[in-house]
Amino acid sequence: MTGDVTARAASIRDVARRAEVSHQTVSRVLNNHPSIRPETKQRVLDAIEELGYRPNRAARMLVTSRSRTIGILSSSRTQYGPAASIQAIEVAARASGYSVVTSNLLTTDEGAILAEVDHLVDQAVEGIVVIAPQVRVLDVLSSLALRVPYVTLQMTDRVITHALSFDQIAGARMATQHLIDLGHRRIYHLAGPQDWIEAEARMKGFLQAMSDNDVPTTAPILGDWTADFGYRAGVELLRYRDFTAIFSSNDQMALGLMHAVRDAGLDCPRDVSIVGFDDIPEARHFSPPLTTVRQDFPELGRRAVALLLAQLDGSEDYRETIVPELIVRGTTAAPAF
Amino acid sequence: MTGDVTARAASIRDVARRAEVSHQTVSRVLNNHPSIRPETKQRVLDAIEELGYRPNRAARMLVTSRSRTIGILSSSRTQYGPAASIQAIEVAARASGYSVVTSNLLTTDEGAILAEVDHLVDQAVEGIVVIAPQVRVLDVLSSLALRVPYVTLQMTDRVITHALSFDQIAGARMATQHLIDLGHRRIYHLAGPQDWIEAEARMKGFLQAMSDNDVPTTAPILGDWTADFGYRAGVELLRYRDFTAIFSSNDQMALGLMHAVRDAGLDCPRDVSIVGFDDIPEARHFSPPLTTVRQDFPELGRRAVALLLAQLDGSEDYRETIVPELIVRGTTAAPAF
DNA sequence: ACGAACCATGTGCACGGTCACATGACCGCG
DNA sequence: CGCGGTCATGTGACCGTGCACATGGTTCGT
């Protein structure tokens, strides 16, 4: 019927033979070259259809040395933010005719980073989106003199050529200002890991808001993004109770904090107000629903791809920023007394 | 220094010239063929090092028609389970020298499924791991007579050649039995979407446990896995309060249920016991900490890759099962009645 | 001592596309 | 009417690798 199952797949020359044209004409049809008679084109298309021909990526890649693939270098992909970004990037890339390969950064030592970048380079990616937001990842990357362009999803003060992000500083400032506006003066900040750019930016926003309002502040507590850590930190902090509010730099840690508050026999928001960051889908169902800062991850992913593809076409550098939004729910209230 | 930046990358022949051997000898070194004099091998390795040579994947792929790539067909990757599985699969695949490309299934209509499978086939994947657990995805897949092997991460009664999964039925039975053992007799089941295999299996486990213990049961409620749905379903159910416990087929919906219980002025577990499924990292910090069924996703990912690679090497069919574990926390107690 | 078997290596082609160039038909214009 | 230019198509080389086969040297068994 359709021929020997074990036979090789049809090639461009098989199609050519069937359509009674040269292989080059077939190639022209595939790349829709202008100078093709409509009639010839149709004959070729028919032949393609009949043979079930599929262009061979490897061959095309070999001769053009273009892979039409972009790489994602990411860590913590089980977390909501990165996962949502990755999904959005893949969809957007596909829509532009690009494929996506991902690399998981499980640790951030230089060897691991190099290995993952190598892997992406081996795949001949034409560009890289970096979602692994640790500072050292970016440092290593910029020291690498990569011959492929890359964009990061994180923003920072450091000079990064192609950055793109939510304005995390603004988001953190909004969250903090919200607490201050409610009347809180003793506010702790539960930050992310020290070397994370997001953590740095959110901390910066927190400190800005505090000093803008002349509220004295203490050193932020450095966490690891997990609910477990938030819980332990909360238990520790509540031994002194020298605060009325906490700004947590993500929702998971906020959840852990809420757990600790409960365990201490206290009530959130009556005794302690808590603000998170991210607005994961579950945040509105926490007990009580969490006040937090929403980030539009899908939009971020889309823009990342647009930015990267613009670079591939040799456009100029630029940074772009998306402003996040404060979602007020049930974990914040005026301080008790 | 290292030559013209715009020049092409070194090829196997450049290495050969430098090492004063034939290109084929270089190829042998790369594929560590046994018959190479150690001294020659070293000369080649030195040349590779000096030139910074990297094998060209496309060329290798073209001539061997092996891509050393496996594909992941997945939906809902922002959810914890799929995300954790994907990450584990990538790590395991890489360890075996395979690359990974993923395809996102945003809808489950046949066209979308075909498009995504096409995309994977275009990438010349040698095998596919299916994490999109809707029944119709598997139906379409099996009707497709794919020429590449695939494994699914879901288990079902249907005959799927290469399946691998947690024994979801057993997990659901454990959860239900736990509620029954506590003394509950009026138990609702908040299931996943009707066409999800996991949902089906968990429902089956629930029903088995109920009938094994001669507990009468009502029709399960079909949800969509989200906390939002759990909340709405909870609000609805609580208008009648004709139950003392709910088994939710995932943790997110359980969270929504807990929210609804709270909103109704009731207490979990005093008034309503709730069991979830998955044990997402946040579950232990819910209010109160959630009793749930743990699945070891990383292990599942690893086994999926092992199974797939075994098939690529032409091993025999088999199914494999991992038994989940019940984690009892604070959302379950004996009924108050 | 001689052929078989094996070792270490080399030669040429094939994989399936694209690119540069060639070709012939047709058109318009001076 | 001849000549340059565009259109539609064909020809051959080439991308970087692995494979089949060839080659010359060495070892081994009888």
Side-chain angles (χ1 to χ4, degrees):
Chain A
M1 190 85 87
T2 48
D4 189 347
V5 182
T6 65
R8 269 196 320 282
S11 84
I12 204 175
R13 291 167 213 268
D14 297 324
V15 173
R17 203 169 310 125
R18 176 134 192 161
E20 298 180 297
V21 294
S22 75
H23 65 104
Q24 177 58 6
T25 299
V26 177
S27 173
R28 288 196 179 95
V29 170
L30 291 172
N31 299 287
N32 47 358
H33 185 97
S35 300
I36 295 271
R37 240 186 331 158
E39 173 202 317
T40 310
K41 178 167 182 173
Q42 192 53 53
R43 251 200 355 263
V44 171
L45 291 176
D46 290 347
I48 287 174
E49 173 77 18
E50 287 160 21
L51 294 175
Y53 165 80
R54 320 278 312 250
N56 181 314
R57 254 179 94 82
R60 185 173 279 177
M61 211 164 133
L62 176 58
V63 69
T64 58
S65 39
R66 297 209 52 192
S67 62
R68 300 236 123 212
T69 296
I70 67 179
I72 300 180
L73 182 63
S74 112
S75 65
S76 345
R77 56 190 303 175
T78 55
Q79 289 200 39
Y80 178 76
S85 300
I86 291 176
Q87 169 149 332
I89 289 168
E90 294 210 345
V91 171
R94 185 81 54 80
S96 305
Y98 277 76
S99 294
V100 172
V101 297
T102 57
S103 244
N104 290 301
L105 219 41
L106 300 179
T107 64
T108 62
D109 57 285
E110 183 158 349
I113 298 173
L114 290 178
E116 293 306 316
V117 171
D118 263 18
H119 178 249
L120 291 179
V121 171
D122 272 349
Q123 309 265 322
V125 297
E126 297 181 26
I128 297 179
V129 180
V130 181
I131 310 189
Q134 292 87 350
V135 174
R136 54 176 305 123
V137 173
L138 292 181
D139 287 348
V140 170
L141 236 47
S142 63
S143 77
L144 228 52
L146 275 181
R147 52 157 200 52
V148 297
Y150 63 97
V151 307
T152 74
L153 284 198
Q154 279 76 33
M155 183 181 212
T156 172
D157 284 354
R158 333 177 165 246
V159 181
I160 295 183
T161 329
H162 308 290
L164 166 77
S165 76
F166 295 112
D167 190 343
Q168 315 255 355
I169 297 178
R173 215 161 37 197
M174 287 162 58
T176 311
Q177 190 66 50
H178 170 60
L179 291 172
I180 294 172
D181 288 349
L182 284 171
H184 294 277
R185 286 299 174 272
R186 288 172 302 156
I187 308 173
Y188 271 110
H189 176 44
L190 182 48
Q194 191 168 12
D195 67 336
W196 280 55
I197 294 172
E198 269 109 340
E200 189 180 303
R202 291 173 196 176
M203 187 188 305
K204 190 163 293 179
F206 167 76
L207 295 173
Q208 278 182 16
M210 293 293 269
S211 79
D212 284 356
N213 292 272
D214 290 325
V215 180
T217 180
T218 53
I221 299 138
L222 301 176
D224 65 2
W225 300 131
T226 66
D228 282 352
F229 185 93
Y231 177 75
R232 292 197 305 273
V235 169
E236 199 61 31
L237 286 175
L238 287 167
R239 292 171 53 192
Y240 304 103
R241 276 199 74 186
D242 54 347
F243 62 94
T244 60
I246 304 183
F247 165 45
S248 164
S249 47
N250 80 342
D251 289 349
Q252 277 83 2
M253 290 197 296
L255 178 65
L257 283 172
M258 291 165 67
H259 183 190
V261 169
R262 224 161 40 234
D263 273 10
L266 300 174
D267 180 75
C268 168
R270 197 194 59 211
D271 302 308
V272 178
S273 284
I274 295 177
V275 181
F277 208 107
D278 281 352
D279 193 27
I280 61 176
E282 289 78 25
R284 73 173 57 186
H285 297 288
F286 287 179
S287 166
L290 181 67
T291 296
T292 186
V293 179
R294 171 178 301 165
Q295 311 202 69
D296 185 353
F297 291 105
E299 175 62 16
L300 189 54
R302 280 190 291 276
R303 294 211 195 177
V305 172
L307 178 54
L308 196 54
L309 296 187
Q311 277 189 59
L312 290 180
D313 296 346
S315 310
E316 69 292 347
D317 292 359
Y318 71 98
R319 293 157 153 249
E320 197 176 342
T321 298
I322 308 174
V323 177
E325 178 190 3
L326 179 70
I327 311 285
V328 179
R329 297 206 184 94
T331 53
T332 47
F337 52 114
Chain B
M1 190 78 92
T2 48
D4 188 349
V5 183
T6 65
R8 269 197 319 281
S11 83
I12 205 177
R13 289 171 210 266
D14 298 323
V15 174
R17 203 170 309 125
R18 177 136 191 158
E20 298 179 299
V21 295
S22 75
H23 69 101
Q24 177 58 8
T25 299
V26 178
S27 173
R28 289 198 178 96
V29 171
L30 292 172
N31 299 289
N32 48 356
H33 185 97
S35 301
I36 295 272
R37 242 188 327 161
E39 173 201 317
T40 310
K41 178 168 182 173
Q42 191 53 53
R43 256 206 343 272
V44 171
L45 290 177
D46 290 346
I48 287 175
E49 173 77 19
E50 286 159 22
L51 294 174
Y53 165 80
R54 319 276 313 252
N56 182 314
R57 255 180 91 82
R60 189 172 276 178
M61 212 162 131
L62 176 60
V63 68
T64 58
S65 40
R66 297 209 52 190
S67 61
R68 299 236 124 211
T69 297
I70 67 179
I72 299 181
L73 183 62
S74 110
S75 64
S76 346
R77 53 190 303 175
T78 55
Q79 289 200 39
Y80 177 76
S85 300
I86 291 176
Q87 169 149 330
I89 289 168
E90 294 209 346
V91 172
R94 185 80 55 78
S96 305
Y98 277 75
S99 294
V100 172
V101 297
T102 56
S103 245
N104 290 301
L105 220 40
L106 300 178
T107 63
T108 62
D109 57 284
E110 182 156 350
I113 298 172
L114 291 178
E116 294 306 315
V117 170
D118 262 18
H119 178 249
L120 291 179
V121 170
D122 271 349
Q123 310 266 323
V125 297
E126 295 181 26
I128 297 178
V129 180
V130 181
I131 311 189
Q134 292 87 352
V135 174
R136 53 177 303 125
V137 173
L138 293 181
D139 287 348
V140 170
L141 237 46
S142 62
S143 77
L144 227 52
L146 275 181
R147 53 158 199 52
V148 297
Y150 63 96
V151 307
T152 75
L153 284 198
Q154 280 75 34
M155 185 182 209
T156 172
D157 284 354
R158 325 172 174 249
V159 180
I160 296 182
T161 328
H162 309 290
L164 166 75
S165 76
F166 296 111
D167 189 342
Q168 315 255 355
I169 297 177
R173 217 163 32 199
M174 288 163 59
T176 311
Q177 188 67 49
H178 170 60
L179 291 172
I180 294 172
D181 289 348
L182 284 170
H184 293 277
R185 287 299 174 271
R186 287 171 302 155
I187 307 173
Y188 270 110
H189 176 46
L190 182 48
Q194 191 169 12
D195 67 337
W196 282 54
I197 295 172
E198 269 110 339
E200 187 181 304
R202 292 173 196 177
M203 187 187 304
K204 190 164 294 179
F206 167 75
L207 295 173
Q208 278 181 15
M210 293 293 270
S211 80
D212 284 358
N213 292 272
D214 290 324
V215 180
T217 181
T218 53
I221 300 137
L222 301 176
D224 65 2
W225 299 130
T226 66
D228 283 351
F229 185 93
Y231 177 74
R232 291 198 305 273
V235 168
E236 198 61 30
L237 286 175
L238 287 166
R239 290 172 55 193
Y240 303 103
R241 278 199 73 186
D242 54 347
F243 61 95
T244 59
I246 304 184
F247 165 45
S248 164
S249 47
N250 80 342
D251 289 350
Q252 277 84 2
M253 290 198 296
L255 178 65
L257 283 172
M258 290 165 67
H259 183 190
V261 168
R262 226 161 38 235
D263 273 10
L266 299 176
D267 180 75
C268 168
R270 197 195 58 212
D271 303 308
V272 178
S273 285
I274 295 178
V275 181
F277 209 108
D278 279 353
D279 193 28
I280 61 176
E282 289 77 24
R284 73 172 58 184
H285 298 288
F286 287 180
S287 167
L290 182 66
T291 296
T292 187
V293 178
R294 171 178 300 165
Q295 311 202 68
D296 184 353
F297 291 104
E299 175 62 16
L300 189 55
R302 280 189 291 276
R303 294 211 195 176
V305 172
L307 177 53
L308 196 53
L309 296 187
Q311 276 189 59
L312 290 180
D313 297 347
S315 310
E316 70 292 347
D317 293 359
Y318 70 98
R319 294 157 153 250
E320 197 176 343
T321 297
I322 308 174
V323 177
E325 177 190 4
L326 178 70
I327 311 285
V328 178
R329 297 205 183 96
T331 54
T332 46
F337 66 111

